[in-house]
Amino acid sequence: MALLVFLGEDDFRKREALLELKARVGPPEFAAPNISDLDGSHVSFDELVQMASSVPFLSSERLIIISGLLERFETKGIRRKGRSRRGAASDLGQWSQFHSYLQVDLPPTTTIVLIDGIIGPNNPLLTSFEGFAEVREFRPLARDQVQAWIRARVMLGGDAISPNAVVLLQQLLGNDLWNVS
């Protein structure tokens, strides 16, 4: 997948998904030059194109992570007296070319990941690549999901945990996986 979008409040699971993608790029000594972390509030479309078009170095893949880009185009406020709201499709500027770039020019060796919190369904940048990007929502887990997560995590470590201990942990720590882990 050329474009992944990670949305939602569960930063722990977003981080884990990102770590899996980073591991795919290769061992840390070879992965570092092929992974770029960009601040979406400042990055320009031209900067992204330049990085994305670079050939991977001693790896078969490049990974570009952009945090907060969608937030830049989030609609805010109320429409007043003929003014368009911040974030209208016409305000995308050069980013209006993003979808086309992804379809036509993005090298197959490059994966772009957009990471944001809660983004509205009418975000003009997000809707511009609807049906093309793989969007993953990371909502906080419900109580039974946290309990299943605890059991799976303990088993992954090669240990066992009683059902009562799982329930107690979930009750004490809630659904904040940073605390549970």
Side-chain angles (χ1 to χ4, degrees):
M1 178 56 60
L3 178 63
L4 299 169
V5 180
F6 293 176
L7 300 175
E9 298 172 84
D10 189 343
D11 292 332
F12 187 90
R13 290 187 305 130
K14 279 193 281 191
R15 183 182 130 277
E16 285 197 328
L18 199 53
L19 288 173
E20 287 178 24
L21 289 172
K22 287 180 176 183
R24 231 179 46 191
V25 175
E29 61 273 13
F30 297 124
N34 296 300
I35 298 174
S36 300
D37 283 299
L38 305 173
D39 180 354
S41 65
H42 297 100
V43 69
S44 72
F45 178 71
D46 290 336
E47 288 174 295
L48 171 65
V49 168
Q50 184 178 12
M51 285 188 182
S53 300
S54 299
V55 176
F57 180 71
L58 297 175
S59 177
S60 60
E61 292 187 54
R62 261 188 87 52
L63 180 63
I64 298 176
I65 304 154
I66 308 174
S67 300
L69 179 65
L70 293 170
E71 173 65 27
R72 230 166 102 177
F73 301 101
E74 192 65 356
T75 54
K76 296 188 180 184
I78 302 169
R79 186 179 290 242
R80 293 183 185 181
K81 296 184 183 178
R83 288 185 180 166
S84 63
R85 292 183 290 188
R86 179 178 169 249
S90 61
D91 293 339
L92 288 177
Q94 285 189 313
W95 288 99
S96 63
Q97 304 169 56
F98 192 27
H99 184 262
S100 175
Y101 173 76
L102 292 169
Q103 288 186 313
V104 178
D105 297 316
L106 182 69
T109 56
T110 300
T111 298
I112 298 173
V113 182
L114 304 182
I115 300 177
D116 270 279
I118 298 172
I119 297 297
N122 296 323
N123 181 290
L125 188 59
L126 181 61
T127 58
S128 74
F129 40 75
E130 192 173 310
F132 179 74
E134 180 183 331
V135 179
R136 298 182 194 171
E137 288 203 44
F138 293 87
R139 294 186 175 125
L141 298 177
R143 180 181 46 191
D144 57 331
Q145 294 171 313
V146 172
Q147 291 175 7
W149 184 88
I150 292 170
R151 281 190 294 277
R153 196 69 158 198
V154 169
M155 288 175 52
L156 186 64
D159 293 318
I161 188 169
S162 74
N164 289 341
V166 170
V167 170
L168 183 61
L169 269 174
Q170 190 280 316
Q171 288 174 344
L172 290 172
L173 301 172
N175 67 353
D176 184 351
L177 299 183
W178 291 103
N179 287 330
V180 178
S181 67

